[in-house]
Amino acid sequence: MAKKETLPRTPMPEQKPEVRKRNFDEVPLGYTPEMAMKEASRCLQCKKPSCVEGCPVQVDIPGFIRYIKEGDFAKAIRKIWEKNSLPAICGRVCPQEMQCEGHCILGKKGQPIAIGNLERFAADYEREHGTGELPPKAPPTGKKVAIIGSGPSGLTVAGDLILKGHEVTVFEAFHKGGGVLVYGIPEFRLPKDIVAAELKNLERLGVKFVYNCVVGKTITIDELFEQGYDAVFIGVGAGLPRFLNIPGENLVGIYSANEYLTRANLMKAYLFPEYDTPIARGKNVVVIGAGNVAMDAARTAMRLGAESVKIVYRRSREEMPARKAEIHHAEEEGIEFHLLTNPIEFLGDENGKVRGMRCIKMELGEPDESGRRRPVPIEGSEFEMECDLVVIAVGASANPVLTKATEGLELNKRGYIVADPETGKTKKKGIWAGGDIVTGQATVILAAGAGRKASNSIHKYLTWGW
Amino acid sequence: MFEIVKRQEMAQGSVVLNEINAPLIAKKAKPGQFVILRGHEKGERIPLTMADTDPEKGTITIIYQVVGKTTALFKTLKEGDRYLDIIGPLGKPTDIEKVDGDVVCVGGGTGVAVLHPITRAFKQAGNHVIAIIGARTKDLLILEDKMKAASHELHVCTDDGSYGHHGFVTDVLKELLNSKNVKLVVAIGPVPMMKFVCNITKEHNVKTLVSLNPIMVDGTGMCGCCRVTVGGKTKFACVDGPEFDGHQVDFDELTQRLRSYLEQEKQSYELFKTKLNA
Ligand SMILES: Cc1cc2nc3c(=O)[nH]c(=O)nc-3n(C[C@H](O)[C@H](O)[C@H](O)COP(=O)(O)OP(=O)(O)OC[C@H]3O[C@@H](n4cnc5c(N)ncnc54)[C@H](O)[C@@H]3O)c2cc1C
Ligand SMILES: Cc1cc2nc3c(=O)[nH]c(=O)nc-3n(C[C@H](O)[C@H](O)[C@H](O)COP(=O)(O)OP(=O)(O)OC[C@H]3O[C@@H](n4cnc5c(N)ncnc54)[C@H](O)[C@@H]3O)c2cc1C
Ligand code: SF4
Ligand code: SF4
Ligand code: FES
């Protein structure tokens, strides 16, 4: 017992900052089996594991960690799969410090178990060394389910329902599946091969994917029902970029994070001209915002050869919403943080290209409705900041393309779909929804969790009609 | 899917027509809407307007001008070849209505291809439709016969006087605005042409629709790449347009944004030409 407490957390080897800041390869390199078993041996196997309470889908954390400790990696991954169908992804991108690891008892005095790293290890080990054996499928039920959107929520529903014997088709607007996992989160944080492997497994199980299909435009939900689908799940995400609505925002060289990251990730513009899609390579880059999306944009800009990359954020360090690991990685790579600073105008040159930004200093006042102290401008503190490329990463809203084309869905005042938090049922019969289009931009595991709840409810509906 | 069933070169090979098998899109598309296409695994997504659709046959027709790498690559596709991806129909359809007066449809360059189904629809809606089409020179003129059939009256202009009226489409438009009871103008073509048309119609206070062609990525309102300023507000051309009230459009901003990637486009095109020749 005493030994367990003193053993330090096993760090995961990483590419060195000087090297990785100019390449797109993954930053953390993964555990070896020995490292994983060593880290697993630190777990106290708590009777009432508080870590599990911190996980939105209640992965049996001590359960899978015990198998890793014993070297039975095949059992470990099967334990995780009981609750989470995307562990290679969640192990990499979950905000563990706020979830499982944040609740681990060892974190009270020392360092929590590296649950995310272990989850990633189990999934990677299975992908690389596993038998590839598919889980058993229930006999066909003759029921058909349409899933709209191939992000983590949609993929979870697809995986669950195909195993229960239903026919499953995923309709995706883009030419590739994965949602934010392929177009938003960069390669150096989530290699696209991993997402492709998940999609491949679903295909092997019999899930059909229809790409290039914008539901609401190419086909409507009512038409899907007419074609004989018995249930529809909507997992279209929160894909509408927010802008600042300040002068000069349409200058050349100002991107939304969605555009910047989609060009870089989905269209592989970082490999231009081998790939056809271009992207601007800035020398002095400014990224506005301080969430995961902002960190991803900043680190992408650095990898595209920027001399300086600045994060500009109107609140202070404490309020930065990004995962700790991302902020830490960004700092190591030389990204500068300009906090309590807000842009008020973009300045352009004679060709309409951005050349700078007027900013104002902020201070924190009274707490606002989000409970965070409201940033207020300091009068007379305006100053100019030079830049030749700006990425605006201040959040996303609900994209109305699908919801506008579908009658009978109830939306809240911000345009998100109203769905029962326990079942994902919408106000329209036969339609479920989950993920960012219900909650607003959240996390991969919350989207996957919503997918799991919806798939349980859809299965009941298809089996018993309620 | 997405097989090219008919291919035709126009305007001395600088413009290409493809009729493509895309039944879902053909069933849904309306005049004014566009598709986004991709030719190969490493390719860019580019928007092209549907010049025609045949819901029975399940085909759509695109007519594009060869201007850079992607369109040059599309030109190499033969009948029987396939596009990798086609997404659509995107954008809002043209608001076709019966107007109390004449409708003038003005098209320049490949804009005529986009204008044709809209012209036809205005005629079918019971309007008296006058069309003006132009090109730099006679050999670059496209769809003259089709535009003749789609309108009640067709005027043809060439910049060099090699055919029809010697001069710009705007010259003819000015005359018509003075002599006829024009209530609506639809102008589709190069940005400078649309801008000039709007300057003229503004003087006459005649409502003018233009179809904007900003750079796009997804075409579904997700990226904001296609943003244009209309009436002082930012709009996304792929979902709020591509057609807008021309009198409200900031054409200079559109021109600048269309030039965002000039250097890379040149590099990409040169590389492609070298490969093609090798
Ligand atoms: C850059 C970035 C970084 C992030 N980093 C993290 C992180 O580190 N950790 C974390 O937990 N979360 C992170 N997130 C958030 C997380 O990715 C999302 O919460 C999650 O992906 C939401 O999943 P979803 O299933 O709701 O939809 P999405 O992943 O948004 O997928 C929706 C899919 O639906 C498709 N679609 C949309 N409309 C239609 C239509 N009409 N017809 C057909 N298909 C349609 C879209 O093309 C897309 O593929 C990040 C988000 C971004 C943008
Ligand atoms: C809604 C819409 C409808 C269009 N319809 C037609 C049409 O019917 N026929 C036709 O010939 N052209 C049409 N265009 C223009 C066509 O998309 C561009 O000519 C094409 O993208 C050029 O690609 P490229 O690689 O061959 O040339 P590039 O060398 O890449 O570009 C040449 C020029 O085309 C523009 N362009 C480049 N990439 C894009 C992009 N992804 N999206 C939009 N514009 C871009 C830029 O101004 C650029 O300078 C349309 C554009 C839009 C937005
Ligand atoms: S799914 Fe996420 S929160 Fe849950 S255990 Fe895994 S890494 Fe932790
Ligand atoms: S709380 Fe920490 S130590 Fe306890 S079971 Fe969970 S991971 Fe292990
Ligand atoms: S092209 Fe992306 S929002 Fe219009």
Side-chain angles (χ1 to χ4, degrees), chain A residues 192-213:
Chain A
K192 299 308 150 224
D193 283 353
I194 291 172
V195 184
E198 296 293 350
L199 291 165
K200 185 95 214 192
N201 271 338
L202 290 174
E203 273 177 5
R204 285 175 58 216
L205 280 167
V207 175
K208 286 193 223 85
F209 286 87
V210 178
Y211 295 113
N212 302 315
C213 184

Side-chain angles (χ1 to χ4, degrees), chain A residues 43-46 49-51 61-62 65 103-106 113 115:
Chain A
C43 171
L44 303 177
Q45 293 292 320
C46 306
S50 49
C51 53
I61 296 168
I65 291 184
H103 285 71
C104 169
I105 193 86
L106 286 179
I113 299 291
I115 302 168

